[in-house]
Amino acid sequence: MNPKVKHGISRTFFYIALLLFLIFIIIPIYWCIVTSFKHSAEITSSVVTYWPKQFTVENYINAWLQSGFEIYFRNSLFISVIGVVFIVVISVLSGYALARFKFKGKNVYMLILLCTQFIPGAMLLTPMFLIFKNLGLLNNLFGIVLVDVTFHVPFNAIMMRGFISGIDYTIEEAAQIDGCSRLQAVCKVLLPILKPGIATVAAYSFISCWNEFLFTFMFISKQNLLTLPVGLKNMVGEYTINYGQLAAGAIIAVIPTLILFSFVQKNLVGGLSAGAVKG
């Protein structure tokens, strides 16, 4: 067979597979968006409609005002923003230490950091619940921030080490020769170069904190302290489900991550490749 023909057939099958995969992803998202704009009668009707007969934003209004999504959104935003600040700061400091300093047990320490990512969070629920109860951190948003920071710092510190290792140390040395201290060299020279890496860590951390469900579900029982993932779960009743409000709530929950990716997508691609540099 002609190599060009063979190559063309391979590309055709590749694009067909890619198109099928895209359709598989897009259809549930499309159905959720369409459902959020339908009336309840149309959603539960035996006649399936693929486009709303009459658009309505009632589901969004009811989800935001009546179902408490305004409070859930605020709580999720608080946890995610505060969590990202702590995760980024600790990850940059830890990554810098791992990339620039030599000390005994460094490789073992990094191995331990990586191994923590293999531990399922569910396995730690009981001991962490008892610890949080004794510390008075149940029904406390700062307790959830502490959980997010604890679980996400190890991976992000390793990733930040990859970013920093890819930057030549002579840049910092030149700044120190010009009169900067090590801290000034890091703040004025290294951090501006690290923007793609910081954007990657911040985006990954924000999404992880925003989507956190298990520990919030177990450690928070007060309605005014719930986050969006738990709020969505609570909308599924024992006997009835308001599919319109549930779909609207899901769309509301996705909007911040879409906005975030629209701003950091350029840095995200470069940052992920830079973080793969072997130190």
Side-chain angles (χ1 to χ4, degrees), residues 3-277:
K4 290 185 178 180
V5 175
K6 186 177 180 180
H7 180 69
I9 294 174
S10 299
R11 287 178 63 88
T12 301
F13 278 109
F14 172 76
Y15 285 121
I16 291 174
L18 197 64
L19 180 62
L20 292 175
F21 182 70
L22 182 63
I23 293 173
F24 181 77
I25 295 174
I26 291 294
I27 286 179
I29 299 174
Y30 167 79
W31 197 255
C32 185
I33 295 173
V34 169
T35 302
S36 68
F37 288 106
K38 290 181 180 180
H39 288 282
S40 298
E42 185 177 356
I43 295 173
T44 56
S45 174
S46 58
V47 179
V48 178
T49 56
Y50 299 96
W51 191 255
K53 294 179 180 178
Q54 184 178 359
F55 275 85
T56 178
V57 294
E58 182 181 355
N59 293 321
Y60 287 91
I61 295 173
N62 292 337
W64 187 259
L65 298 178
Q66 296 181 10
S67 299
F69 266 73
E70 179 184 3
I71 299 173
Y72 305 154
F73 189 93
R74 186 170 62 246
N75 293 337
S76 290
L77 191 62
F78 173 83
I79 291 172
S80 301
V81 171
I82 301 299
V84 165
V85 171
F86 279 104
I87 291 170
V88 168
V89 171
I90 298 174
S91 297
V92 169
L93 296 176
S94 301
Y96 184 85
L98 292 172
R100 295 293 191 243
F101 296 109
K102 295 181 180 180
F103 52 89
K104 290 184 178 180
K106 177 179 174 180
N107 292 332
V108 175
Y109 176 73
M110 291 178 57
L111 180 62
I112 292 173
L113 285 182
L114 289 173
C115 287
T116 60
Q117 302 304 295
F118 304 147
I119 302 174
M123 191 178 75
L124 303 176
L125 271 177
T126 301
M128 289 191 67
F129 183 88
L130 295 175
I131 293 171
F132 275 48
K133 181 180 179 182
N134 293 331
L135 294 176
L137 291 176
L138 296 180
N139 288 314
N140 190 324
L141 293 181
F142 284 102
I144 304 302
V145 172
L146 181 60
V147 171
D148 289 333
V149 173
T150 302
F151 275 88
H152 299 138
V153 159
F155 174 77
N156 287 298
I158 296 295
M159 189 160 58
M160 188 58 69
R161 173 190 173 275
F163 301 140
I164 297 173
S165 297
I167 300 173
D168 196 341
Y169 182 62
T170 56
I171 299 175
E172 295 175 56
E173 288 181 331
Q176 293 180 50
I177 292 173
D178 289 337
C180 289
S181 64
R182 179 183 286 272
L183 182 60
Q184 288 175 327
V186 170
C187 295
K188 295 181 179 180
V189 178
L190 186 64
L191 288 184
I193 304 175
L194 272 178
K195 282 183 180 179
I198 292 174
T200 303
V201 170
Y204 173 79
S205 302
F206 183 90
I207 294 171
S208 300
C209 294
W210 185 265
N211 293 331
E212 202 287 314
F213 170 81
L214 182 62
F215 289 98
T216 306
F217 181 67
M218 296 301 298
F219 295 167
I220 302 293
S221 58
K222 293 183 179 180
Q223 193 73 17
N224 64 331
L225 295 177
L226 296 180
T227 58
L228 280 172
V230 182
L232 284 171
K233 183 266 175 190
N234 289 344
M235 292 183 70
V236 179
E238 184 176 358
Y239 301 106
T240 59
I241 302 175
N242 191 322
Y243 291 102
Q245 289 188 30
L246 187 61
I251 299 301
I252 292 173
V254 168
I255 289 175
T257 56
L258 292 178
I259 296 174
L260 176 66
F261 267 98
S262 67
F263 282 105
V264 304
Q265 59 178 340
K266 293 182 180 179
N267 289 330
L268 196 61
V269 175
L272 285 173
S273 60
V277 173

